[in-house]
Amino acid sequence: MTRIIYKNKLCKNFIMCSVQEGEDISPVRKEKIVEERTCMKCEKTAVLVTRVNDAFCRECFMVYVTHKFRAAIGKSKLIRDGESVLVGVSGGQASSCLLHLIQEGLSGRAHKKLRFKPGLVFIDEGATVGMSAEERLASCTQVLEVMEKTGFPCYLKALEQAMELDREGDTTRTQSSDCESDQQGRAPNTPSHPAHNLTKFHQYDKAEEQLKTLLNSLKSVTAKEDLIKSLRQKILLDLAHKEGYSKVMLGDCSTRLAVRLLTDISEGRGAHVAMDTAFADTRCSDITIVRPIRDFSSKEVAMYNILNNVPSVFIPTITTKAPDSVSIEHLTEKFVTGLQAEYPSTTSNIMRTGEKLHTEKKNASEKQCAICQGPLDTDVPLSSALSAVQFSQTVSRCSSVTLSLYSTDSEGCGGGDKSCQSKEEKQSECCGRGDGSCQSKGSKLTQDEVMATLCYACRLLIKDLDDVNKLPRHILNDISQRQRRVRMKTEIEEFLLNSAETT
């Protein structure tokens, strides 16, 4: 029993009451009487309120949203006239809003038409939640119908296709040859038989099994979400590269980006925050990811879809109907949306803080993470927190080994003794040609070799993975090529000229 004392402001007396444990002790709020508001622009009757004092009628709200969308594209000056842009469509509220804004901007009734050429892509992630073939077929059909109504080029991809991409982005064709156009990811051009073509499209049994095995090997839902996001981005960039798109446009609103900013910091991706939340993500050298509705709140997106009857498709994810604490991102989302409901300027403050962050771009592929393609943040001196964590892990793994000297670059069991090598490391030795053309496919990568090419957050992602060779093919091929280059450089190091000698 807890005794709570409240002060009554009217009679200036003290009231003592008893509250049981677990009950809500906050006073009951009085319902606010909603008065009729007028539009802040034209003084007409308002139909919605975006923020505390921002009331709009329907016409002024459409002008406000359209101007904010077109201004984001115009100020950046990244998208040129006639440029091909690949638009990611997930079927959700934000991507449906983005698709409708693009349609309106390219229509004849637009005051100034948009001048880029859009193409639409949908990535089916039904394999991650165990959806049956019929359920995946139904969801893909619904999204395909929405995309085909626009008249833009449409593409379909399955997330498991990322497991069969090599380093250059080519998909190994292990399926039947009668569905070649669907394996390339292009949606069928004949809308009268979408179900027949989509049935062929989902014939990726081997890759689907590999994806499920990989996800089941990850213990935390946070790691699964990060991996799915990386695979999704790889498919988008690969399709854009093969089909000639120089930009990839995503429907990330400010609420989603605010959640991602705090999530990245919580997961140790502080070095990647500027890229993950900026208007333009330039981590890939030839393809830029743009977010034209990053200034839209989730409320503005929802109101725009309601006023324009924009259809959307609900597709479950791995956190659907899960508790709030199932992952870091899910818990952060509850925290941010809860604050946003009480304090409408929460997401805008978070986004303004994120805009001040900057990360130096590293063009060399060896200085980028093999999984997320972000800059490596593990090149730190010995007197750092990362080195201390690595040393603690080494001590716990090799407690029987005398650790007289520890080096973060040791290749053995982690104790600084390079003669202590596992059998897997000895099998992964180069074939001996020394020209970087080692093609020995029988060797497998060790966990230490994979860890050396990953950023801090991606190291946490796969630290509990029982076999790192379960990773997608393009990641393993990239790591193997880096290892061969390092060995080749070590062999010819004494014959190389440094910068001081050349000058």
Side-chain angles (χ1 to χ4, degrees):
M1 187 77 67
T2 304
R3 305 183 71 85
I4 307 297
I5 298 177
Y6 292 101
K7 185 178 180 181
N8 192 323
K9 295 183 179 179
L10 296 178
C11 60
K12 298 183 180 181
N13 295 327
F14 289 93
I15 302 174
M16 181 173 294
C17 62
S18 299
V19 181
Q20 297 292 335
E21 295 291 344
E23 293 184 358
D24 187 8
I25 62 176
S26 59
V28 179
R29 295 184 180 180
K30 296 182 180 180
E31 296 183 0
K32 295 182 179 180
I33 300 176
V34 180
E35 300 178 356
E36 184 176 350
R37 303 283 297 272
T38 58
C39 177
M40 58 182 298
K41 296 291 186 180
C42 64
E43 300 298 330
K44 293 182 180 179
T45 303
V47 297
L48 59 93
V49 179
T50 57
R51 288 185 295 182
V52 179
N53 297 317
D54 295 345
F56 289 97
C57 63
R58 187 184 186 280
E59 292 75 13
C60 293
F61 177 72
M62 293 303 165
V63 173
Y64 163 74
V65 172
T66 304
H67 172 74
K68 189 156 56 170
F69 167 71
R70 299 175 69 95
I73 297 178
K75 288 179 181 178
S76 63
K77 298 181 180 180
L78 292 176
I79 302 177
R80 299 182 295 272
D81 292 350
E83 192 171 13
S84 299
V85 178
L86 182 65
V87 181
V89 179
S90 64
Q93 291 283 338
S95 63
S96 299
C97 174
L98 174 62
L99 180 58
H100 191 269
L101 286 169
I102 294 175
Q103 283 184 269
E104 292 296 318
L106 293 173
S107 63
R109 56 182 175 271
H111 178 61
K112 290 183 179 181
K113 294 180 62 176
L114 300 175
R115 299 186 179 274
F116 60 86
K117 300 177 181 179
L120 311 181
V121 58
F122 169 68
I123 301 178
D124 178 26
E125 302 177 6
T128 61
V129 293
M131 295 176 61
S132 62
E134 292 77 12
E135 294 173 339
R136 297 180 65 182
L137 179 62
S139 61
C140 287
T141 303
Q142 293 178 11
V143 179
L144 181 61
E145 290 176 355
V146 174
M147 293 194 303
E148 285 183 337
K149 290 179 181 179
T150 61
F152 304 141
C154 301
Y155 305 89
L156 287 178
K157 283 285 188 178
L159 188 67
E160 55 264 29
Q161 290 182 258
M163 302 296 296
E164 296 186 342
L165 293 175
D166 61 11
R167 190 172 181 273
E168 285 73 23
D170 296 328
T171 304
T172 303
R173 300 184 180 183
T174 58
Q175 313 300 330
S176 56
S177 58
D178 57 348
C179 58
E180 179 179 353
S181 60
D182 297 301
Q183 285 184 351
Q184 294 295 332
R186 189 181 299 274
N189 295 324
T190 306
S192 58
H193 303 286
H196 173 70
N197 291 328
L198 287 177
T199 303
K200 294 180 179 180
F201 170 73
H202 283 116
Q203 293 179 356
Y204 285 91
D205 298 333
K206 182 179 178 181
E208 181 179 355
E209 193 64 29
Q210 292 176 351
L211 178 61
K212 291 181 178 180
T213 302
L214 176 59
L215 292 178
N216 293 332
S217 300
L218 300 175
K219 296 182 180 180
S220 65
V221 180
T222 300
K224 294 179 182 180
E225 284 184 318
D226 289 344
L227 181 61
I228 291 173
K229 183 175 66 175
S230 299
L231 296 181
R232 185 192 307 124
Q233 182 170 308
K234 174 62 179 178
I235 291 178
L236 290 173
L237 296 177
D238 167 61
L239 178 62
H241 186 268
K242 290 193 299 185
E243 299 296 334
Y245 293 95
S246 57
K247 302 290 188 304
V248 175
M249 191 173 290
L250 301 180
D252 293 331
C253 62
S254 62
T255 306
R256 172 56 53 191
L257 293 178
V259 173
R260 186 177 301 171
L261 188 149
L262 297 181
T263 302
D264 284 352
I265 295 176
S266 303
E267 295 178 356
R269 296 186 183 273
H272 305 161
V273 166
M275 295 181 177
D276 289 340
T277 61
F279 175 83
D281 186 351
T282 58
R283 73 182 68 187
C284 185
S285 58
D286 53 347
I287 299 174
T288 304
I289 298 176
V290 295
R291 304 178 179 94
I293 62 172
R294 67 183 300 269
D295 295 330
F296 288 34
S297 66
S298 57
K299 182 178 180 180
E300 292 174 344
V301 169
M303 296 305 300
Y304 180 88
N305 292 343
I306 292 173
L307 294 177
N308 293 278
N309 296 322
V310 179
S312 60
V313 181
F314 170 74
I315 301 176
T317 62
I318 58 176
T319 57
T320 301
K321 294 185 178 181
D324 297 328
S325 59
V326 68
S327 67
I328 296 178
E329 183 175 0
H330 205 51
L331 186 60
T332 307
E333 182 179 3
K334 180 188 176 183
F335 172 72
V336 173
T337 53
L339 279 180
Q340 180 70 15
E342 298 293 334
Y343 308 100
S345 60
T346 298
T347 56
S348 59
N349 289 337
I350 296 176
M351 292 301 297
R352 282 197 297 267
T353 304
E355 290 174 354
K356 299 176 182 178
L357 303 176
H358 175 71
T359 301
E360 182 181 358
K361 180 182 176 182
K362 298 180 180 180
N363 296 324
S365 59
E366 290 79 6
K367 296 182 180 180
Q368 294 179 341
C369 177
I371 294 181
C372 66
Q373 302 302 316
L376 286 178
D377 54 358
T378 54
D379 187 12
V380 294
L382 292 177
S383 58
S384 62
L386 178 60
S387 300
V389 172
Q390 291 176 343
F391 181 78
S392 300
Q393 293 176 350
T394 302
V395 173
S396 62
R397 291 200 311 262
C398 306
S399 58
S400 60
V401 179
T402 302
L403 299 175
S404 58
L405 179 63
Y406 173 72
S407 173
T408 55
D409 297 329
S410 60
E411 298 178 357
C413 63
D417 185 6
K418 295 186 178 182
S419 62
C420 176
Q421 294 182 349
S422 60
K423 294 180 180 180
E424 292 180 352
E425 289 178 318
K426 293 181 179 180
Q427 292 176 356
S428 63
E429 292 292 338
C430 182
C431 60
R433 297 179 62 179
D435 57 355
S437 60
C438 175
Q439 302 293 334
S440 55
K441 298 182 179 180
S443 60
K444 293 185 177 181
L445 294 173
T446 63
Q447 189 172 19
D448 290 338
E449 291 176 337
V450 175
M451 288 287 192
T453 61
L454 304 182
C455 63
Y456 174 74
C458 290
R459 289 185 180 186
L460 298 179
L461 187 151
I462 68 166
K463 70 174 183 177
D464 297 328
L465 194 64
D466 54 354
D467 185 9
V468 293
N469 292 280
K470 294 180 180 179
L471 292 172
R473 182 178 302 163
H474 67 274
I475 297 177
L476 298 178
N477 291 346
D478 187 14
I479 296 174
S480 298
Q481 184 175 8
R482 295 187 189 187
Q483 293 295 327
R484 292 195 297 268
R485 287 181 177 177
V486 170
R487 295 191 186 102
M488 181 181 65
K489 184 176 180 180
T490 303
E491 292 179 358
I492 63 174
E493 187 173 9
E494 58 181 2
F495 303 102
L496 298 177
L497 298 177
N498 55 33
S499 58
E501 295 177 351
T502 56
T503 57

